[in-house]
Every structure is written in C-alpha cells, then in structure tokens.
Amino acid sequence: MEPRLADRDRPWVMRTYAGHSSASATNALFRRNLAKGQTGLSVAFDLPTQTGYDADHELAAGEVGRVGVPVAHLGDARALFEGIDLAAANTSMTINATAMWLLALYVTVAQEQGADPARLAGTTQNDIIKEYLSRGTYIFPPGPSLRLTTDVVAWTVTHAPAWNPVNICSYHLQEAGATPVQEVGFALATAVGLLDRVRDSGQVPPERLGDVVQRISFFVNSGVRFVEEMAKMRAFTRLWDEITRDRYGVTDPRQRRLRYGVQVNSLGLTESQPENNVARIVLEMLGVTLSRDARARAVQLPAWNEALGLPRPWDQQWSLRLQQVLAFESDLLEYPDLFAGSHVVEALVDEIVTGARRELEQILDLGGPVAAVESGYLKSALVSSLVHRRRRVESGQDVVVGVNRYTETEPSPLTAAGAQAIEQVDPAAEQAVIASVRQWRERRDAQAAAEALDRLRAEAAGRANLMEATLACVRAGVTTGEWAGVLREVFGEYRAPTGLAGVSGGADAELVRVRERVRATARELGRERLRLLVGKPGLDGHSNGAEQIAVRARDAGFEVVYQGIRLTPAQIVAAAVQEDVDLVGLSVLSGSHLNAVPAVLRGLREAGLPDLPVVVGGIIPDDDAVTLLEAGVARVFTPKDFGLTDIMDELVTVVRDATLSQVR
C-alpha cells in the first residue's frame, strides 16, 4: 500500500455558479453561500451584460436577470460585492466579449475598498473562440475580440499579476458535441493562438512570457464517464507541459503546470427522474478530483434541478455539501496519485494525447483557431459530433437511466404537485433594473461620460491597449451598453458560421418513414418541400438544440431556414414571411420564453399569418408550457423529448393539422 501523504492536501476551491435578478439579490446569495463554507465566488452574468446591452435595449427584453446578474455600471458592481472583501476573495467571472469591461468594474470596486489590484485573485473567462462555437455571447469579429483579450493579458501581467486574465474554456465545447480528444485539441489550439498573439503583440517582454503562461487557466467539462474524464485531464496536463516548454521556451515547471477549474456536465442532467442527477454530479466530480497529479484547482457543481429551471439556494447548498463531504469526510486527500503506474490509465491517456495532438496540428495547419472558426471547420466538427452522440442516445447504444432505459418510476417528492422545484425570478425585477439604469444615466456627469467614450473610440481606432480607457469609462459612469456600443461602431459586429453545411446524421427505418410523410404532406399542399424556420429569439446563444433540430429536419426532408442566433421577434417574423414557411420552431433556453414567444406570435398575426403554426423548445416548466399553448403555440418540447425523429414526426402532424383542414 502506498504511504499516506505527510500532510493532507488542501481541498480545491469550492464554488457555486450564481447570479440572478439584481446585483443586490445576488450579493445576498453570495454572502449566504460564503457563510455555508463556499471558498470562492463564481459570478453568472445575465445575457444582456454578456453581450454588451443595457437592460432597456430591445434585445434585452425578457432576458434581464434570467440566467445571471445584470451589471450595467459601477453602481451595480458596488452593490454586487458589497460587504465582500475583494482583497481576500477568489472570484471567477464567466464573461467573455465584455470581459475587459467587467474586470475594469471589479478592479475599480476593489480599489474603492482600498485593495491593491496586485493582490486581486480570480479569473475572467475571456475565451472568445469558444463563444463562436457554442455559447454564442460574442459581439465583435475574431480579430478585434482577440485584441481585447490580448490587452487584458498584457495589462494584468503588469498591474494584477495574481489575476488569471484568461480561462480557456473547453466546458462548452463538450456541451456542443466535442469528444475528449476534440475538447483537449480544440482548447489547446485556442491557447496556442492566444499565446502567439500575446507574444507577437510586443506588449509583453519575451522574458515575461512564462508569467503569462502561469496565469492562463483552463475551465473544463467533466461528464459521467469519469474514468475517461480523469484520463482526459492527465492527457491535458501532459500536452500543456509539452507545448509551453517546446513552443514557448518556458523553463520553470511550476509555470508550465496545467491550472484548471471545472463545472461538471450540466448538459447530461435530465428532466426525467431528476433525482438521478445527484448520482451523476458525484461521479462527474470524481473524474476531476481522484487523480492527484491532474486534480482541479476549483470545482463548481450544478444543482440536481438545472434541467428544470433556475436552482434555489437550497439546491445550490446541496451541491456545495457534495463537495464538502468528498473533501472533508473521505480520505481522498490523504494519498499520492492513485493511478500512477496503471497501464490501463496510461494507455487511455496515450490515446487521447495522440488524438488531441493531431487535432491541434490540423487547426494550426488551417492557420490557427481564428481561421478554423471563420472557415466553419470547428463548428461543423462539433455539430457533427453532437449528431452522432444524439443518435447513440436515441438508439439506446448510450444508456441514460430514466430517459431511454428504466423509465418506470415512482412519483418524486422533489417535484411532487405543490412543491416549488425551481427558483422563480420576480417579473418586476426587470422593470426595476431598467428604471435603475435610466436613473444612473440621468444622475451621472454626462460630459465626463461622453469624454470617456470619445477617448475609448479614438484609442480603439488605433493600437493602444484599451484597458486604461475602459477604466476611465468605468469611473466616468459609462454603462455596459455604451462601452460595447462604441466598440461596435469601431470594430463592427459578427455572425459566426452555423456549422450545418454538409452535416448529416444518416437515416434509419423510422426516419425514412417520417421522410416519406414529409414528402406526402408537401404533395398534398401542392409544395415542392415543407419549409421549417428554426429561430433563436433574444440573446440566448446556446444553439446546440436548434442546430440538432435543423440537421434532423433536413435529413427528414424539410427545407430548413436557420439564420443563427440572437434574432429579434421582428426578424423572425420577417424571415417567416420572406421564406414562405410552413412552420416556425423557436428555441429558447434562457427562460425568456414567456416574453419572446408571445412577441413572435403577435408579429405573425400583424403580418397576416395568424394561422402559421409555431412550436417551441427549451427548458420550460409545465405551468409555462400551459401558458404558451393557451397563447396559440401548437406544441412545446422540453429536454424529456429526446427523440429527434419523433419530434420530426410530430412537426409533420402540426403542419397537417394547421393547413390541410383549410385546403379541404
């Protein structure tokens, strides 16, 4: 038996991903979680904040405070961290396109508290590449976006050397379909692309490149195949050490160490029999904690009910307690690495290393991660991988307990009638935030704000590091939407490739049957093909579900119109009219369905299409589904409707019910 460690290892930083409604409400949640033993903060921002809009912008309607906290200005940042000593805190902020802005707000609040920025510890995610591939909260084209990232890296090296300016995030790549090999290879390609840009920018002296490497962290996904996930992280560790040594000449092994945090896999949580999610979360946590040589530095766990909606404080507490039981009750932290010398583990690690290195080389041969985004290579690869994963679940090859096997169940007391199983966001909270940001604009020094924005505009048009101009904007009372709006003027906006071209999931007997039904219905309607418009209203950029519906619909014989993410209801209505579609399918995962869907229905009525059927998919509570159906939606699909071919069959029925009765 291996001897125990002389000293028990320190536990990882324990976080829960939190934020909703308002800065003050989220501050109260932070303080409760810290009192329960949480050792780090993980801030979830709402979609307007992530995409650079103030709460009163048209696109923000229904999204304010839904999936995170709205932060529009310095006053909000003060309220968010009130009573929390930022000099002693370790704060992770899941923010990308507006990462520079949120870091500037954080630094300014810390300075107001009397903290030296050099002492600040924490992380800005600031990984824009994966936003083009998965979460969709990008704003600007890749080039200007990476300029902002480079500027943040260079500024922190000098002014906030303990801060992690970039958190290369492969978490969402796995959600978007990445295999372990793709997750490692694509994430390392992003890191290489960023380090090359920082090195070539001239903002960091060559002798300090090791300091940059040391402050780059990673944020990974851990799925239920926890043995494979553990091997993935050992492979990740080996490759990062190799790349930073050989490509960048970093000689200090401490600077080359892979530093990563983890959120275990929310995508794998199920709406059906949600109590099973607790076992999944524990197994996924083991994948990133069992191996001492590749153990996570920070862990945040989802709650058991995230497939149902927004977790309550009690649900988050349960997830925190899971971490604490493992760290403090078990003997995990008393031993050296449990897998050193295992030929089974080493063979699996070697396999992942070989495949990930091949993926990395392929991306670099294409010209790097930016070129691989712009060409659509990365997005298409992820969409294709997710198609195959969905096929395995639908066929039963991949078992999901309670979904495609062992579906018989007793009623769950966790979701029993009368039990409120999720947090409810007060509908009045959005109006309060809108009123607050308008009041802020009225009360600030308007001239100072205008001068700060003029400086930002001028420096963005040149080559200056934009962090100092951004800090000046914060101090002058500029808002999130104004800061991003000026950069939109200078840099322009971007629409990433959808990744659907050339992707197909093939066909089985059931899909062939549905395909014939699609053709027959089109013939009866006197049309060449049935047309389906897949729409993503609002700021929700999680497009995986919409893309999978689009691919399967095309395989089923529909002509699919899909224009990507972040559309206004008016744009969706205009596309329905222009493309003369037979059916509109809306995908909403942010919780804004009660705002976005009725807006589309109203628009269709005003456009003279009151009978055009609309279906909706997303994380939609049962009561909300009833509301949508009463408003005129034909069908509501939720995560329990995992059979995509079955959904296609139902879409044909919707079209027939809506149109053939009129034809006859």
Side-chain angles (χ1 to χ4, degrees):
M1 178 177 174
E2 285 281 349
R4 289 183 173 177
L5 296 169
D7 295 304
R8 183 181 171 91
D9 268 354
R10 283 193 310 170
W12 50 90
V13 175
M14 299 182 191
R15 296 188 171 115
T16 51
Y17 185 48
H20 67 86
S21 301
S22 68
S24 57
T26 301
N27 173 263
L29 180 59
F30 284 167
R31 294 165 78 166
R32 286 201 302 272
N33 287 345
L34 289 169
K36 294 171 183 173
Q38 181 175 300
T39 52
L41 297 176
S42 181
V43 187
F45 296 98
D46 73 354
L47 289 173
T49 304
Q50 293 186 53
T51 52
Y53 294 107
D54 291 333
D56 55 353
H57 192 279
E58 176 190 11
L59 276 170
E63 306 280 14
V64 178
R66 282 280 173 192
V67 300
V69 58
V71 178
H73 47 71
L74 182 57
D76 286 343
R78 288 169 179 153
L80 182 62
F81 297 111
E82 182 181 0
I84 298 172
D85 182 1
L86 297 187
N90 189 309
T91 304
S92 171
M93 296 191 283
T94 302
I95 198 71
N96 296 281
T98 55
M100 177 182 283
W101 175 247
L102 269 299
L103 177 60
L105 287 168
Y106 188 88
V107 167
T108 302
V109 172
Q111 289 175 317
E112 290 180 346
Q113 292 182 355
D116 181 353
R119 293 183 55 197
L120 297 179
T123 302
T124 35
Q125 192 166 97
N126 208 11
D127 172 11
I128 202 65
I129 294 295
K130 64 93 177 49
E131 295 300 317
Y132 300 119
L133 305 175
S134 51
R135 286 179 77 244
T137 66
Y138 57 83
I139 303 172
F140 317 112
S145 294
L146 285 174
R147 173 189 172 180
L148 293 175
T149 304
T150 301
D151 286 355
V152 169
V153 171
W155 186 88
T156 55
V157 165
T158 301
H159 300 282
W163 190 265
N164 301 319
V166 175
N167 192 223
I168 303 296
C169 182
S170 67
Y171 174 88
H172 299 96
L173 300 182
Q174 186 183 115
E175 281 202 338
T179 64
V181 163
Q182 288 174 322
E183 185 180 347
V184 176
F186 292 4
L188 289 174
T190 297
V192 167
L194 174 63
L195 280 172
D196 283 356
R197 192 166 290 247
V198 171
R199 179 193 60 196
D200 298 342
S201 73
Q203 294 194 66
V204 177
E207 64 272 14
R208 297 209 62 185
L209 197 59
D211 295 332
V212 175
V213 168
Q214 184 174 1
R215 298 316 322 168
I216 289 181
S217 60
F218 291 79
F219 189 73
V220 307
N221 202 329
S222 181
V224 75
R225 293 173 58 83
F226 69 96
V227 176
E228 187 175 63
E229 295 291 358
M230 180 271 299
K232 177 187 77 180
M233 296 319 305
R234 293 174 78 92
F236 222 141
T237 299
R238 184 192 300 179
L239 282 168
W240 182 241
D241 183 77
E242 172 190 304
I243 290 167
T244 53
R245 181 192 66 224
D246 298 345
R247 187 179 182 95
Y248 300 107
V250 179
T251 57
D252 186 342
R254 293 171 300 180
Q255 292 182 321
R256 299 198 307 264
R257 182 176 178 182
L258 182 81
R259 300 159 57 254
Y260 78 95
V262 63
Q263 159 92 11
V264 309
N265 186 19
S266 297
L267 184 69
L269 304 183
T270 64
E271 180 185 13
S272 303
Q273 299 181 25
E275 60 275 10
N276 298 338
N277 292 331
V278 178
R280 294 184 179 106
I281 290 167
V282 171
L283 290 172
E284 290 164 353
M285 176 171 53
L286 292 179
V288 291
T289 55
L290 280 178
S291 174
R292 184 175 186 260
D293 292 347
R295 183 172 291 150
R297 293 289 190 93
V299 176
Q300 59 191 46
L301 304 182
W304 68 275
N305 55 348
E306 287 199 14
L308 307 177
L310 186 67
R312 301 158 299 183
W314 182 85
D315 307 314
Q316 293 190 333
Q317 174 183 298
W318 192 358
S319 291
L320 176 62
R321 296 293 184 247
L322 296 178
Q323 294 202 57
Q324 291 168 331
V325 168
L326 179 62
F328 300 113
E329 291 191 27
S330 85
D331 58 352
L332 174 66
L333 299 180
E334 297 176 10
Y335 293 97
D337 193 90
L338 304 178
F339 303 100
S342 165
H343 66 276
V344 172
V345 170
E346 285 306 306
L348 183 53
V349 171
D350 288 343
E351 179 182 331
I352 296 173
V353 164
T354 299
R357 188 181 286 123
R358 186 164 53 244
E359 289 285 359
L360 172 60
E361 291 169 353
Q362 168 74 8
I363 294 166
L364 295 180
D365 287 345
L366 289 170
V370 170
V373 166
E374 293 175 335
S375 70
Y377 168 77
L378 290 176
K379 184 65 173 177
S380 292
L382 293 174
V383 172
S384 180
S385 290
L386 190 54
V387 165
H388 294 306
R389 182 196 296 171
R390 292 294 304 246
R391 281 289 194 185
R392 292 195 302 272
V393 172
E394 290 179 74
S395 68
Q397 180 181 346
D398 288 359
V399 174
V400 183
V401 174
V403 174
N404 63 2
R405 193 181 296 184
Y406 310 118
T407 55
E408 301 79 7
T409 183
E410 299 297 327
S412 169
L414 294 175
T415 58
Q420 186 55 261
I422 58 173
E423 182 82 6
Q424 297 292 336
V425 175
D426 183 356
E430 178 166 334
Q431 293 307 312
V433 173
I434 290 173
S436 174
V437 72
R438 288 175 175 167
Q439 185 179 71
W440 175 270
R441 293 195 202 104
E442 291 171 359
R443 291 183 175 180
R444 71 186 177 188
D445 184 333
Q447 182 177 347
E451 289 173 354
L453 288 169
D454 286 342
R455 174 186 173 184
L456 177 67
R457 185 179 291 105
E459 294 190 6
R463 293 189 172 184
N465 186 304
L466 295 180
M467 190 66 188
E468 291 298 336
T470 296
L471 285 162
C473 284
V474 167
R475 293 189 290 267
V478 166
T479 68
T480 299
E482 291 169 335
W483 177 86
V486 163
L487 296 184
R488 281 183 166 95
E489 292 175 23
V490 179
F491 298 152
E493 293 193 73
Y494 186 70
R495 301 288 293 179
T498 64
L500 300 186
V503 176
S504 172
D508 55 19
E510 180 62 15
L511 186 59
V512 169
R513 182 191 68 79
V514 173
R515 186 182 295 162
E516 181 50 42
R517 195 164 176 241
V518 170
R519 288 173 180 160
T521 302
R523 284 195 299 269
E524 290 181 61
L525 290 173
R527 299 177 67 91
E528 184 176 345
R529 300 175 72 184
L530 295 184
R531 288 188 169 186
L532 166 66
L533 171 63
V534 177
K536 290 285 296 176
L539 298 177
D540 169 29
H542 285 84
S543 58
N544 302 334
E547 289 154 2
Q548 293 303 305
I549 288 290
V551 170
R552 188 62 58 85
R554 195 174 57 195
D555 287 346
F558 284 91
E559 181 176 338
V560 176
V561 179
Y562 176 59
Q563 298 173 330
I565 62 173
R566 237 183 288 164
L567 301 173
T568 65
Q571 289 172 321
I572 292 172
V573 170
V577 173
Q578 182 176 352
E579 300 291 343
D580 188 24
V581 299
D582 300 289
L583 177 65
V584 174
L586 302 177
S587 170
V588 187
L589 298 176
S590 65
S592 65
H593 43 268
L594 292 182
N595 181 282
V597 176
V600 172
L601 292 172
R602 285 194 301 272
L604 290 172
R605 287 195 298 270
E606 292 167 1
L609 297 173
D611 298 320
L612 181 63
V614 174
V615 301
V616 181
I619 300 174
I620 300 173
D622 291 342
D623 289 348
D624 289 358
V626 171
T627 300
L628 293 175
L629 291 168
E630 291 175 346
V633 168
R635 299 286 190 281
V636 174
F637 300 101
T638 67
K640 68 177 179 295
D641 301 301
F642 71 94
L644 295 186
T645 300
D646 292 339
I647 292 175
M648 295 305 111
D649 199 25
E650 191 66 16
L651 295 186
V652 181
T653 298
V654 168
V655 172
R656 294 181 68 86
D657 289 348
T659 57
L660 286 178
S661 59
Q662 299 174 35
V663 171
R664 295 190 182 106

